[in-house]
């Protein structure tokens, strides 16, 4: 197995951790969750480009845009 193929496992762990953090009642944890999601987007895009998975790359870019939009909307409310 190529070393780059192992990248999908930390990407999955970071995505799960991000989901856990975003679901927190603590604003600080939710903020960390945003950054974990952004890191997972980078990991998944890296793996997707290597694995020739364009749908995954587009999905991750779309999710990153939605995460940024969500954070901006949340900040306006506070």
């Amino acid at each position: 197995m190529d070393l780059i193929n192992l990248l999908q496992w930390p990407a999955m762990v970071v995505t799960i951790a991000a989901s856990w953090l975003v679901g927190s009642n603590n604003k600080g944890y939710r903020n960390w969750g945003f950054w974990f999601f952004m890191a997972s987007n980078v990991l998944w895009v890296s793996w997707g480009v290597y694995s020739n998975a364009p749908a995954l790359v587009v999905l991750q870019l779309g999710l990153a845009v939605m995460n940024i939009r969500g954070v901006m909307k949340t900040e306006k409310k506070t």
Side-chain angles (χ1 to χ4, degrees):
M1 181 183 285
D2 294 330
L3 208 52
I4 193 82
N5 274 325
L6 296 176
L7 190 60
Q8 64 186 311
W9 295 104
M12 185 237 0
V13 169
V14 172
T15 303
I16 291 171
S19 297
W20 181 269
L21 291 167
V22 165
S24 174
N25 289 328
N26 181 299
K27 184 178 179 180
Y29 287 153
R30 289 193 307 271
N31 188 48
W32 273 107
F34 163 77
W35 290 109
F36 272 52
F37 266 129
M38 296 307 287
S40 78
N41 293 139
V42 170
L43 292 170
W44 281 118
V45 166
S46 300
W47 185 79
V49 167
Y50 172 80
S51 299
N52 195 27
L56 178 66
V57 172
V58 172
L59 170 66
Q60 294 304 313
L61 294 173
L63 290 172
V65 168
M66 284 190 270
N67 282 328
I68 293 167
R69 178 179 175 257
V71 167
M72 290 172 53
K73 289 181 79 169
T74 301
E75 290 300 318
K76 285 182 181 180
K77 290 181 181 180
T78 58

